[in-house]
Amino acid sequence: MSLRARLATAVPAVADEQFLVIRSGGGNFALPSEIVRGILPFEDAPGTETVPFQGQDLPLRNLAGRFGWSSRPPVSETKVLMCGAQETLRAFVVDEVCGLTDVPATAIRSLPPHFAGPERGWFSGLFLFRDAVALVVQPSWLLGHVTSAPALVHSEPPPSEPAAASIVSTRETSAVPSRETPAVPRRETPVAPIQETPAAHVTSFGGDSPEIVELEEASDAEDTPWADL
Amino acid sequence: MLKTPPGRTSKAAKAWPLVVFSVGGRSLAVKAEEVLSVLPWTDAIPVPSGTAYVTAVLRHGEDVLPVFDLAAKLHVQVKGSKPLCVIAKRKDGPMALCIDSDIPALQTVEASTVKPAAGGSDITGFCMVGAEEVPIYSLATLGLSVSQSRS
């Protein structure tokens, strides 16, 4: 799906927030567009452990693994996502890039208070996306120090739908959720202003050598080089 | 002016209307006042979570409800090709539970016949449904005892 084919909203939004929605480990995750620095087809990555970007060799990590979910084998839709804020850069393998979407701020909901564990620090909220939901990832957490995900209740790939007679299986963990209904802010503000990147250039995927599309800030994502991906 | 004969009101107040259903073939009951609705089950959407038994959400129209995996807590698998969804009424917001496809039944029990359960669990008591002793779960506090014991 071309990123240019953005998801339309029925009503013109007064204050929309722009996200790049991706799929990883069976779930939809929304990343604030301002932290997305580049997208590369997985098959074009020069290695399976690192990817060169802006003079650095960024360790590759599956985004699902960041949440403690199992990763899936790469397929044709698998992409490498370069994300960053200020001088912090991270590279994540995702199953699929669904596209850019503008979401009214009023459409972003808080995670239900029944979720009382570390996930409250991972996600700032969620919104309806197609027939499911997209979880808004906290940029500060995503770009933070990459450590092993805490023990999760669900550490196996979720079953593929439909599964009429089964729901997500769980097991007890040592997680210590707090049930004191913390005051969850509806959304966090984006991270501090991002260091400007060199001028973007449009590249085509494939060919003999991998080429990374570097992203630049633009008032309208349709004008960005990587909107044609 | 009509007057209620003495004693009748007090007897009525001590009757518990219950919703009796099964999960993984195991019968259990909840207070009817804690059940918002019973609907056909739709596929849950997994959510990375460290909260015990709360690892998914469910879309019901424009609403997004957290899902409590009661089957996992009971170490059973939901039975039936068309499971049902109980929407529980809670202070922290409604919550969805997947139950067996057998249609739940309404039953009223006398409070005096309910056997109390040990404190600190999700079970508030036991009642007789036919010849079977059935636990009465508190949907209002379901799952809280797990987190509190670990805090």
Side-chain angles (χ1 to χ4, degrees), chain A residues 169-172, chain B residues 23-26 53 69-79 137 150:
Chain A
S169 62
T170 60
R171 61 179 169 81
E172 292 194 17
Chain B
V23 178
R26 292 172 58 174
Y53 310 117
D69 196 343
L70 184 56
K73 182 176 173 63
L74 300 176
H75 305 289
V76 297
Q77 288 279 337
V78 170
K79 290 188 176 180
Y137 277 81
R150 289 173 174 165

Side-chain angles (χ1 to χ4, degrees), chain A residues 34-35 37 84-88 189-196 217:
Chain A
E34 59 264 24
I35 70 167
R37 288 282 172 256
Q86 296 178 322
E87 296 181 356
T88 301
T189 55
V191 296
I194 298 170
Q195 178 183 3
E196 289 203 0
E217 290 187 35

Side-chain angles (χ1 to χ4, degrees), chain B residues 16 111-119 123-127 133:
Chain B
W16 289 7
S112 59
T113 64
V114 174
K115 292 181 185 177
I123 299 174
T124 60
F126 295 87
C127 66
E133 187 175 76

Side-chain angles (χ1 to χ4, degrees), chain A residues 44-137:
Chain A
D44 290 345
T48 58
E49 294 186 2
T50 61
V51 59
F53 186 69
Q54 293 187 351
Q56 301 182 40
D57 283 330
L58 304 181
L60 273 177
R61 181 165 185 179
N62 195 285
L63 183 64
R66 192 80 172 90
F67 305 118
W69 277 2
S70 299
S71 59
R72 297 184 173 182
V75 293
S76 58
E77 292 83 16
T78 304
K79 297 284 192 291
V80 176
L81 214 60
M82 274 67 69
C83 302
Q86 296 178 322
E87 296 181 356
T88 301
L89 288 171
R90 299 277 185 260
F92 297 101
V93 178
V94 300
D95 297 335
E96 182 184 350
V97 174
C98 299
L100 282 172
T101 183
D102 297 316
V103 182
T106 53
I108 301 172
R109 319 166 185 219
S110 298
L111 207 60
H114 311 74
F115 290 95
E119 63 274 12
R120 300 211 73 86
W122 306 339
F123 310 116
S124 59
L126 58 87
F127 55 86
L128 302 182
F129 180 72
R130 296 176 180 168
D131 59 351
V133 299
L135 298 163
V136 181
V137 180

Side-chain angles (χ1 to χ4, degrees), chain A residues 172 179, chain B residues 16 18 21 26 28-31 34 52-54 68-75 90 92 95 97 114-126 134-150:
Chain A
E172 292 194 17
R179 279 298 211 177
Chain B
W16 289 7
L18 302 175
F21 54 87
R26 292 172 58 174
L28 46 88
V30 297
K31 288 186 178 179
E34 295 180 345
Y53 310 117
V54 184
F68 188 92
D69 196 343
L70 184 56
K73 182 176 173 63
L74 300 176
H75 305 289
R90 293 165 57 101
D92 50 4
M95 186 171 73
L97 298 92
V114 174
K115 292 181 185 177
S121 73
D122 297 314
I123 299 174
T124 60
F126 295 87
V134 173
I136 302 173
Y137 277 81
S138 169
L139 293 182
T141 59
L142 189 63
L144 295 180
S145 59
V146 175
S147 57
Q148 288 172 356
S149 65
R150 289 173 174 165

